[in-house]
Each structure stands twice: as structure tokens, then as C-alpha cells.
Amino acid sequence: MGMTITEKIIAAHSGLEEVHAGQFVYADVDICLGNDITAPIAIKQFERLGINGIFNPEAVVLVPDHFTPNKDIKSAQNTKTLREFARKHQIKNYFEIGRVGIEHALLPEKGIVVPGDLVIGADSHTCTYGALGIFSTGVGSTDLAACFATGKVWLKVPEAIKFVFNGKLNKWVSGKDLILYVIGKIGVDGARYKSMEFTGPVITALSMDDRLTICNMTVEAGAKNGIIEPDDCTEEYISSRARRKYKLYSSDDDCKYCDIYEYDVNNISPQVALPSSPENTRPVEDLSDIGIDQVVIGSCTNGRISDLRIAAQIIKDKKIHPSVRLIVIPATQDIYLEAVKEGLIEIFVNAEGVVSTPTCGPCLGGHMGVLAEGERALSTTNRNFAGRMGHPKAEIYLCSPAVAAASAITGKITHPEYID
Amino acid sequence: MNGKSWKYGDNVNTDGIIPARYLNTTDEKELASHCMEDIDPDFVKKAKKGDIIVAGENFGCGSSREHAPLSIKAFGISCVIAKSFARIFFRNAINIGLPIFESKEASMEINEGDEVQVDMNLGKIINLTAKKEYSFTPFADEMKDIIRAGGLMEYVRLNYCQS
């Protein structure tokens, strides 16, 4: 029996010719990642082991991105823990303020993760890198601590579901809309423990930014990983960035999928996930008169340059609605600088939006735009659970950057075609 | 394990178990003091050490924050029974030694307030109030090794840190 791309990558990292769904392995990890929330627990756990060195400092990446620039004293202590651990163990891939960006935008951009890798991260959205043909999955802090010591992770090889996208994308429909649509169809546990493999002519034609967005939100369907077979688009993205040699894997024709879903994207319009679950999706045109207090454009899901470009294109020469607060967060310093050069930041500021330094910030109700009781936000982030962005009685709607930008202008959830 | 059960529905998420506003600490006592806060603000006032959480499908979905199982464990909850667990929460619980059990029947039939006992050796969940027994999904052998060691770090200490 053939193997899926996920099975092939896991086999190659377990010293095995072949692995199949359900099998247990201790796999070698190419890159392990922690942030300012999850790494402090991992460091505490690792230090209790009382061993001297970490398995491979080159394989460890520490990204203080969630509550930075430090929002309070406790957060500052956590970042200090990461900084000192990085110094002690000569971890080069610790990213200080000024170089740091949101981890899942930063690692692909810097070529730290490359096709064919096996990556674990103590952050659920580590599944993002599947867009590059990487097996990457979110784990906990103790998994990270164990990986510091051993360079390995325990894994159960996941079953795979194939998602085939045919047809032609409608104007204003992006990778975010496709993944929201899928989550709406299969539910927040529709791919629990499984691998979500995306394919078809629509995926082939998608930009890397859109592919990263799709794989980013696979965890919202409960998946272990999301993955797209590498192609010309992947090579174009990674060849100039890769810091290591990479390997392109693809699924065998006779590999096993536990389910195959086919979608005709001609029927898909921009999607909005209503409170308080990412599966609670509706086409944007079905919503009317939903007034909003705050719009956030950013995050590991949608804070990349193409996201800022489409938002700026819609907002250009207009003003944000007087009752709306617009917060734009470029995901990395490189994206920020590119947005400055292209005049995007000027567009947001002229429209009376604010632009923040890279941070996860409001996505998880950390800082830089926390919601009050009864407020309603429209956000390009990934989760709309009650309390996620602040007060438990605030409401969160999820959407693409285009819908977010159009809605920021009208003050209510709006299809971008009404602004165009 | 023996305690009073507290019942919750499907898709209890980690933002509800421990909201991100408390993630600036790794102090287990502090995390325990906010356990289940955005799902059930009264939980820490009414639940007692040794009690059991009983929930529906996909318990612990959302973020990878180990603070979620840590807050439950540090509060003193003896175990979580659910129809199913989200995968990162599942591995986190195994890794830190928070006992978790999958049983659809137990999840459906146990009522809030029932006295429930779990016997790991017999592999049984016992509803003492309703006088009913349920089996739970057995763990894979590789997971049993981690559970027996007392968690992943102890497993690593035993298998990788020979001195």
C-alpha cells in the first residue's frame, strides 16, 4: 500500500521504510518551537531533568510573540526566561524585539522550516507549515521539554482526509474563505487526530500566503496537521529562503484516505464564522445589519503582506466608520517594512486605523485591543470562542482581510463588492 | 479516584478552561484558581479536590496551552471523563499525568452531582449514585509506558538520561 505525504515524512524521520495510520513512532524532530507562553513551562520541565545540554541547539526556535512587547511584569519575566535559556544553551534562533514576528509567519519567511521537515511547536497553529510540504503539528510544553532533551517526539501516525477544490474562485474569495467553508462543513472535530491534505486545481493556483492561511486553521477542525504537496509555487517561495537542504514529498496514487471531500469553489462566497465557534459559518451576503465595534487585521492566520495589500486596496482614500476601531498588525518586521515601502501603512493611518508592531496581541485577548463586555469584533484571526479576545460576553466574528476591511468602512459586516 | 461529577457539553475549549489573560503565569496554584473560569465562573467555588469533570465530545479543543490540563490537575480534579478529547489536550494530559478517560456511555449517563469512581486496574468507571459500570477506551501500549512512568518527563528520565 502506498503512503500519504504525511506518512512518508513521518517514516523518513523514524528510520522506517514505511509507516501507516495508527502506528506509534518516536520521530526525529528537525525544528521544535516555543513561545513566551508555552516555552517557560517547557524550560521549567527541562531544568527539572537536571541534564546539562539540550539535544541540538540548532533545532530549537524560541519566539516571544504573544504578549510582546511585554505587556506586564509577569510577561516580561517569561520573555526573560526564554532569553536567558537561549543564551545558556546557545540557541541562535531566539528572536528579540526588533527581529521578532508572529512565529508562524516568521519561520517560513526566514527559511527556518523547509519542505520535508518534521516540525513540532508548543503552539496549536504550528500546523501552518504544512503549506510548504512539511509535517508540522502543535504539541504541549512537556512535549517541547522532552524534545529539548531527546530531539524526538511521540506520534501516532494520523489517518488522512483529502480535500479537492475544483472550479474558479470568485472575486474576493481567499484561502481564509476556503478553510472557513471547510470547517463549516466538517465541524470543529471533523478532522480530529487526522491529517487534512489539500489538493486540486484551485490549490495549485493559490499563492503561498493563502496556502499558509488554509493549513494554519486545520487545527480548528481538530486536525493533527494540514498539508499541501510542494510544487512550483513552493519552490519559488522557499528556494531563496531555505537555510537547509529540503526534500519534496508527495502522496502515492495508491495511498489510503479515510475520506475524500470534493468542493466546487464556484459556489463559495466570502465566509464569516459567527460567535462562538469557527464552524458556525455563513456566506457574508446572508448577514445584514451586524454592527461592529472593532476590526482586527493580522495574526498568524492573516497578517501577511498579501492580506495587508487587499485590505489597503479596499480602504484606500476612505475613512474607517466613526464607531469602529481598526487595528492592523503586520505579522513580521519584513512584512511591516514592505507595507511601509508600498504605502499600505499610510493608507491605514490616513483612514484612521492604528498599526501595531508584530504581536499575537488581541487574537488571544492578550493586549493591543482587548474587548469590553458586550462589544463585537470582526477579526481575521482564527478563533472566536467566548472570552478569546477579552471579556467573555464580547462577540467575535471571523473573516478574511477583504471582508474585514470593507466592514471597517461601513461599520457593519459587509461583502467587499459593496465597497469596490 | 472517587468524587462528585461536574458536567459540561461538547467542545469545551482551552480558552474556557483557562483564559489567555492568565497565561502570563506558570504558577500552578494561580492557574488552579481560575480553572474553568470562562465556562463556569463558579467552578472553583463549588468544586472540591477529588471531584471529576464529565464532558462531551472534543474536550480541550483550541490552543496547545498546557496551562489548561495543569489548572485542572493543580485544582485537584482527580480525572476527566469525556466522549472524546481534542488531540493536543489529550497528549498534554498524558504527558503531565492528568488522568483522562474516554467513554461515550459514561459521559451520556452520568448526571451532575453523581458520585463517580474510576478503577484504573479494573478499567472501570463506576457511577456509585446510579449503580452502573462503564468501560473506557484502553490506552495504547506506548501511552501506557508514559502513564506508568508518571508522565513524559519521567519517561524521558528513565529512557534517555542514564547516569
Side-chain angles (χ1 to χ4, degrees), chain A residues 227-246:
Chain A
I227 199 157
I228 295 171
E229 282 183 5
D231 58 10
D232 292 347
C233 168
T234 320
E235 288 247 49
E236 194 181 319
Y237 180 88
I238 203 69
S239 58
S240 59
R241 304 171 192 265
R243 294 198 190 171
R244 286 173 291 117
K245 278 192 187 158
Y246 55 89

Side-chain angles (χ1 to χ4, degrees), chain A residues 72 74 140-143 154 364, chain B residues 20 24 30 66 91-92 95:
Chain A
D72 54 24
K74 286 179 180 172
S141 298
T142 299
D143 282 307
W154 66 271
L364 74 161
Chain B
N24 56 3
E30 201 178 333
E66 209 160 280
R91 63 186 297 135
N92 283 346
N95 286 347

Side-chain angles (χ1 to χ4, degrees), chain A residues 24 26 37 44 67 72 74 78 123 137-143 154 188 192-193 364 383 385 388, chain B residues 11 13 15 20 24 26 30 58 62-67 84-85 87 90-92 95 142-143 155 160:
Chain A
F24 253 88
Y26 275 84
I37 288 178
K44 215 196 249 184
F67 291 161
D72 54 24
K74 286 179 180 172
N78 283 338
D123 187 279
T137 190
V139 295
S141 298
T142 299
D143 282 307
W154 66 271
V188 291
R192 208 163 42 85
Y193 293 99
L364 74 161
R383 288 193 181 122
F385 303 142
R388 172 76 179 175
Chain B
N11 301 313
N13 68 75
D15 280 279
N24 56 3
T26 60
E30 201 178 333
N58 206 24
S63 94
S64 70
R65 62 189 70 163
E66 209 160 280
H67 311 64
S84 63
F85 291 90
R87 61 161 284 275
F90 182 89
R91 63 186 297 135
N92 283 346
N95 286 347
E142 292 84 350
M143 275 182 229
Y155 179 83
Y160 291 88

